Amino acid sequence: VSQKLNSIRYVSDTDSITADMLHGFFVGWPNPPNVDAHLRILQGSYHVVLAIDIGHNKVIGFINAISDGVLAAYIPLLEVLPAYQKQGIGKELVMQMLAALNHLYMIDLLCDPNLQPYYEKLGMHRGQGMLIRNYDKQNAQ
Ligand SMILES: CC(C)(COP(=O)(O)OP(=O)(O)OC[C@H]1O[C@@H](n2cnc3c(N)ncnc32)[C@H](O)[C@@H]1OP(=O)(O)O)[C@@H](O)C(=O)NCCC(=O)NCCS
């Protein structure tokens, strides 16, 4: 049995991305955005890094940032598809994103406590934040 190795490419533009390349994300979300909304999220972001499985022509990991372009950026989403986790793809996405945002003063994200060690290893610091979630808007419709 021959096993084809996955070839992963990292890109930062959405020109060649279609909604049907975005299936499988938002794992565990009760009311997730659909693939069309996901594509709009990426297109509307200040910066994105996408990990693409070239052989399967699908996005298997992504990170996005929104920003004023002057002082501050916020990283709302980072996800690697379950079958591709624990291979360093998340780390590469975060490192490429932080490098792209390095000209800005504030780079913030929120995460659950169990992920704080993950981001600490990538050079980020613990902080405290406040938030509102309108759960009826979670699917972006
Ligand atoms: C978080 C997530 C993006 C990590 O992606 P990944 O590709 O599996 O992570 P990597 O393989 O790059 O891991 C990099 C390092 O972090 C470590 N790590 C992974 N998950 C971790 C966790 N929960 N806590 C601490 N360290 C963790 C890995 O062991 C690895 O360490 P190493 O470099 O010393 O070997 C992925 O688990 C995911 O998509 N989770 C669901 C969505 C989510 O929680 N997103 C974050 C929202 S804030």
Side-chain angles (χ1 to χ4, degrees):
V1 179
S2 73
Q3 196 177 353
K4 193 161 165 242
L5 284 175
N6 292 319
S7 169
I8 308 297
R9 176 180 297 166
Y10 296 90
V11 303
S12 284
D13 68 82
T14 54
D15 296 348
S16 60
I17 304 302
T18 56
D20 64 358
M21 297 167 68
L22 290 167
H23 288 285
F25 288 101
F26 302 102
V27 172
W29 287 44
N31 189 21
N34 64 23
V35 291
D36 294 307
H38 191 176
L39 183 58
R40 294 206 313 276
I41 289 166
L42 298 176
Q43 290 169 337
S45 295
Y46 177 70
H47 191 71
V48 299
V49 187
L50 311 174
I52 297 174
D53 181 330
I54 296 301
H56 294 95
N57 193 36
K58 61 182 285 191
V59 177
I60 55 87
F62 78 101
I63 187 169
N64 74 322
I66 55 177
S67 178
D68 55 30
V70 179
L71 202 71
Y74 179 74
I75 297 174
L77 297 168
L78 163 69
E79 189 172 357
V80 175
L81 292 183
Y84 293 83
Q85 290 178 7
K86 308 270 183 210
Q87 302 173 34
I89 295 169
K91 181 178 181 176
E92 183 65 24
L93 292 171
V94 174
M95 296 309 287
Q96 289 199 21
M97 178 58 80
L98 293 180
L101 300 176
N102 198 37
H103 62 292
L104 298 168
Y105 169 61
M106 303 167 62
I107 303 161
D108 298 353
L109 67 76
L110 290 168
C111 69
D112 291 339
N114 66 311
L115 273 171
Q116 287 180 312
Y118 179 77
Y119 291 111
E120 273 179 332
K121 277 205 277 183
L122 297 171
M124 302 192 78
H125 306 287
R126 289 171 195 240
Q128 297 182 51
M130 302 294 290
L131 57 85
I132 291 172
R133 294 288 182 268
N134 296 316
Y135 284 102
D136 59 328
K137 307 290 188 206
Q138 191 182 71
N139 66 357
Q141 302 307 311

